[in-house]
Amino acid sequence: MGDGIGRSFRIALLLLAALFAQAAGQAAAAEVVRVGVLKFGTVSWELDTIKRHKLDEKHGITVDVQEFAGEDATNVALMAGAVDVIVSDWLWVSRQRATGTDLTFVPYSTAVGAIMVPDQSPIRSLGDLTGKKIGVAGGPLDKNWLLIQAMAKKDYSRDLAGTNTIIYGAPPLLTEKVQQGELDAVLNFWNYCARLEAKGYRRLIGGHEAAAALGASGPIVALGYIFHESWANTHRAAIDGFVEASADAKALLESSDDEWKMLAPMLRGDESEQKVMRDRYREGIPKRPREDAEKDAEALYSVLAAIGGEELVGPSKELVPGTFWGAE
């Protein structure tokens, strides 16, 4: 009897060892997806949710988050093969494809910037901005700034860049300057607009309204996950798993307020700022079919190319096919 018990025990140990070996093999098989992000960027909220809930493991991958100090650094890392995925816009992807680099794009967010003014400001439309001092984040080729300029010319016959004092600067600095009364209005990135909104500032006009005035049929995709098409073709399970994990994280952030409590240390700011950022993030979750988003990008590309020229879009007069992943 003792031998029987010992034999059963040994068999159980062997079965456990086999199970552990299988689990270890599955873990080893999980492909690593290296994602380059800005150190204090909003993309980190989603990636933190993925890691905290092990959504990457759920979809058979391991997300390796690598932080960088600036957007140029993430771009260089992707081009050098140091990371697999970054976040940028479709204009940059199309420009790179036009020069032979096989980048492609999966929509991440439709959240866009807006021109913000103090609530008591007499400025009520773009037509009221003539002669004002305007802060612009993102530089003279920022696509929201170009779209808003095009809308001002179309609807108000106003040359915003030519009839105003334009101050280009970093988003935090411009946020401070408008609060100190040094600017009449500020065009800032969406998360900084949310902080101002929480402090009582008013949205004058946003990128979506400008895009709609110029022919867009719905919320335009602002940012997306960018990767090399050749990498995606040879690592299809990895990119599919990452896109699915991203969708799961967005679903959690859209439906659960508790998730945002977990992110509070990353959001910074007071409770009212965090609430507005949560709401604006949720509004920016892409809902439209890829085909519709691509059509709007194609329509707006020609507008942006006409204003920004080759410095903005590169040698192509049209959105290069394949800019949107799966579009060819």
Side-chain angles (χ1 to χ4, degrees), residues 73-83 86 92 96 99 101-103 228:
T74 64
N75 295 351
V76 170
L78 179 66
M79 301 297 267
V83 297
I86 65 170
W92 185 68
Q96 295 302 316
T99 57
T101 304
D102 69 334
L103 297 186
H228 286 277

Side-chain angles (χ1 to χ4, degrees), residues 90-99 310-315:
W90 43 263
L91 274 177
W92 185 68
V93 173
S94 181
R95 177 169 185 157
Q96 295 302 316
R97 290 186 75 87
T99 57
E310 190 167 335
E311 186 180 359
L312 175 68
V313 300

Side-chain angles (χ1 to χ4, degrees), residues 31 84 102 227-240 325:
E31 189 161 5
D84 303 311
D102 69 334
F227 44 89
H228 286 277
E229 191 172 8
S230 54
W231 173 82
N233 288 336
T234 55
H235 299 80
R236 191 57 190 257
I239 190 59
D240 286 349
W325 170 241

Side-chain angles (χ1 to χ4, degrees), residues 214-280:
L214 297 167
S217 60
I220 57 171
V221 173
L223 296 171
Y225 285 115
I226 314 299
F227 44 89
H228 286 277
E229 191 172 8
S230 54
W231 173 82
N233 288 336
T234 55
H235 299 80
R236 191 57 190 257
I239 190 59
D240 286 349
F242 179 73
V243 171
E244 289 164 0
S246 168
D248 284 355
K250 283 184 170 69
L252 278 172
L253 292 171
E254 184 173 28
S255 62
S256 172
D257 289 349
D258 287 340
E259 288 299 319
W260 290 91
K261 294 175 183 176
M262 299 296 293
L263 292 174
M266 301 179 71
L267 269 62
R268 296 173 293 169
D270 60 32
E271 188 175 345
S272 62
E273 290 178 73
Q274 293 179 15
K275 183 178 183 298
V276 177
M277 284 192 284
R278 178 200 68 193
D279 294 345
R280 296 295 168 259

Side-chain angles (χ1 to χ4, degrees), residues 307-325:
I307 303 173
E310 190 167 335
E311 186 180 359
L312 175 68
V313 300
S316 179
K317 302 293 185 183
E318 300 176 344
L319 188 75
V320 178
T323 293
F324 281 66
W325 170 241

Side-chain angles (χ1 to χ4, degrees), residues 52-303:
R52 187 156 27 85
H53 289 279
K54 299 184 178 180
L55 300 175
D56 51 349
E57 295 179 23
K58 172 186 172 183
H59 293 288
I61 61 171
T62 298
V63 169
D64 175 20
V65 180
Q66 300 186 19
E67 296 181 335
F68 293 86
E71 185 177 357
D72 288 344
T74 64
N75 295 351
V76 170
L78 179 66
M79 301 297 267
V83 297
D84 303 311
V85 178
I86 65 170
V87 170
S88 190
D89 62 36
W90 43 263
L91 274 177
W92 185 68
V93 173
S94 181
R95 177 169 185 157
Q96 295 302 316
R97 290 186 75 87
T99 57
T101 304
D102 69 334
L103 297 186
T104 191
F105 173 102
V106 168
Y108 160 73
S109 176
T110 64
V112 295
I115 293 182
M116 306 292 293
V117 296
D119 188 54
Q120 70 277 14
S121 170
I123 299 171
R124 296 289 167 180
S125 73
L126 291 179
D128 297 330
L129 283 174
T130 302
K132 304 298 183 182
K133 185 178 287 188
I134 307 172
V136 175
L141 294 179
D142 176 76
K143 64 179 178 297
N144 286 316
W145 175 228
L146 296 176
L147 290 172
I148 288 172
Q149 287 184 76
M151 179 185 179
K153 287 181 180 179
K154 175 178 175 290
D155 292 351
Y156 297 93
S157 300
R158 294 285 193 276
D159 177 6
L160 293 183
T163 60
N164 296 282
T165 301
I166 308 300
I167 308 296
Y168 298 107
L173 176 63
L174 295 178
T175 299
E176 287 298 319
K177 284 188 174 296
V178 75
Q179 291 180 92
Q180 293 166 0
E182 296 181 34
L183 299 171
D184 298 301
V186 61
L187 172 60
N188 218 328
F189 299 158
W190 77 267
N191 49 318
Y192 289 93
C193 291
R195 294 187 189 279
L196 286 172
E197 186 179 348
K199 296 179 184 299
Y201 283 69
R202 172 167 46 87
R203 289 170 63 93
L204 181 69
I205 193 77
H208 285 318
E209 294 95 324
L214 297 167
S217 60
I220 57 171
V221 173
L223 296 171
Y225 285 115
I226 314 299
F227 44 89
H228 286 277
E229 191 172 8
S230 54
W231 173 82
N233 288 336
T234 55
H235 299 80
R236 191 57 190 257
I239 190 59
D240 286 349
F242 179 73
V243 171
E244 289 164 0
S246 168
D248 284 355
K250 283 184 170 69
L252 278 172
L253 292 171
E254 184 173 28
S255 62
S256 172
D257 289 349
D258 287 340
E259 288 299 319
W260 290 91
K261 294 175 183 176
M262 299 296 293
L263 292 174
M266 301 179 71
L267 269 62
R268 296 173 293 169
D270 60 32
E271 188 175 345
S272 62
E273 290 178 73
Q274 293 179 15
K275 183 178 183 298
V276 177
M277 284 192 284
R278 178 200 68 193
D279 294 345
R280 296 295 168 259
Y281 172 93
R282 287 172 169 173
E283 290 173 2
I285 295 175
K287 303 290 188 184
R288 307 169 68 206
R290 189 215 71 221
E291 292 80 7
D292 292 346
E294 185 188 9
K295 286 178 183 176
D296 280 346
E298 290 172 348
L300 294 175
Y301 186 95
S302 59
V303 175

